[in-house]
Amino acid sequence: GENVEQHPSTLSVQEGDSAVIKCTYSDSASNYFPWYKQELGKRPQLIIDIRSNVGEKKDQRIAVTLNKTAKHFSLHITETQPEDSAVYFCAASEGKLVFGAGTILRVKS
Amino acid sequence: DAGITQSPRHKVTETGTPVTLRCHQTENHRYMYWYRQDPGHGLRLIHYSYGVKDTDKGEVSDGYSVSRSKTEDFLLTLESATSSQTSVYFCAISEPQETQYFGPGTRLLVL
């Protein structure tokens, strides 16, 4: 089955800097790659997603890139703000979602 | 937030007792899922349903059963709770091949 690895497990950045989180997946049949943000005590919420027929997608300060050949995808957050502090999860799906273990992002002001 | 509720939101129970968690949706989505969330493991799929009375196992299904008798309700049962089932449980819904939306979660403590 699918296996998703996510790095780093924790990331601290200064406010205004960029943050990058990387994920690799094992199943070449996976075709959908969402990213979720989870604040403390809250539910995971979708922030951006990408399908396998697209290499990059951007939504304001957030972008996701996908390299199907290398089987990895990344989340990029530019101009980070304190409210970006949360746990971020990547996932890959060829029908069922398989999640990475999560990245704790801390934005220091 | 999508129209998903979970009940109870918090529960403390003793080892060996049965526990049922309920997920209720008002979105009429075909797929429903149960996940557990534990530190260092992300979200792991327990069971899912692709229609009324149609369910299948996820990666951590041992010790859990599910039922879906109506489109809007998906029940997760722990037949005999164990301390290893202490976790936060999330329900999610989706249409086929579409985004999953999560419920608010249930915190379960098994003593």
Side-chain angles (χ1 to χ4, degrees):
Chain A
E2 178 65 275
N3 182 52
V4 177
E5 294 191 354
Q6 182 171 346
H7 299 281
S9 56
T10 60
L11 178 61
S12 291
V13 299
Q14 203 66 35
E15 182 178 359
D17 288 350
S18 295
V20 181
I21 302 170
K22 299 181 180 180
C23 289
T24 60
Y25 62 99
S26 60
D27 190 344
S28 57
S30 288
N31 54 18
Y32 176 60
F33 307 91
W35 286 88
Y36 287 84
K37 175 184 180 182
Q38 186 177 28
E39 297 176 349
L40 190 62
K42 302 286 183 64
R43 74 187 78 191
Q45 299 216 313
L46 180 78
I47 54 171
I48 196 167
D49 57 9
I50 192 168
R51 297 191 183 269
S52 58
N53 57 346
V54 176
E56 184 173 357
K57 184 176 179 180
K58 192 173 181 180
D59 182 3
Q60 299 183 334
R61 296 186 297 108
I62 294 173
V64 57
T65 58
L66 172 64
N67 183 327
K68 285 220 71 179
T69 302
K71 289 191 277 190
H72 65 71
F73 56 113
S74 300
L75 178 71
H76 304 253
I77 306 174
T78 58
E79 301 172 18
T80 53
Q81 301 167 2
E83 52 265 39
D84 294 328
S85 295
V87 181
Y88 291 81
F89 293 98
C90 64
S93 172
E94 40 71 35
K96 293 177 289 187
L97 280 181
V98 176
F99 286 83
T103 296
I104 300 170
L105 174 63
R106 296 190 183 95
V107 180
K108 297 174 287 187
S109 56
Chain B
D1 291 330
I4 314 168
T5 57
Q6 293 184 230
S7 59
R9 295 292 315 279
H10 302 270
K11 185 166 183 69
V12 180
T13 191
E14 294 187 350
T15 298
T17 60
V19 176
T20 295
L21 308 183
R22 179 184 184 233
C23 178
H24 179 78
Q25 61 148 329
T26 57
E27 304 295 323
N28 201 36
H29 281 8
R30 180 177 163 192
Y31 280 57
M32 298 185 76
Y33 312 81
W34 277 107
Y35 292 90
R36 61 178 288 173
Q37 184 174 37
D38 305 289
H41 290 279
L43 291 138
R44 292 182 291 175
L45 183 64
I46 305 171
H47 282 279
Y48 67 101
S49 169
Y50 46 95
V52 173
K53 292 187 168 56
D54 292 324
T55 65
D56 205 351
K57 296 179 180 180
E59 64 176 299
V60 290
S61 59
D62 287 348
Y64 301 95
S65 62
V66 290
S67 66
R68 190 169 179 201
S69 59
K70 298 185 289 185
T71 298
E72 57 266 36
D73 288 326
F74 193 31
L75 303 180
L76 176 70
T77 297
L78 291 64
E79 300 291 347
S80 177
T82 67
S83 58
S84 64
Q85 293 176 312
T86 291
S87 188
V88 179
Y89 291 86
F90 284 99
C91 171
I93 64 173
S94 78
E95 288 291 273
Q97 302 294 324
E98 294 296 325
T99 301
Q100 288 189 23
Y101 297 97
F102 286 84
T106 294
R107 290 187 175 274
L108 176 66
L109 175 61
V110 183
L111 299 173

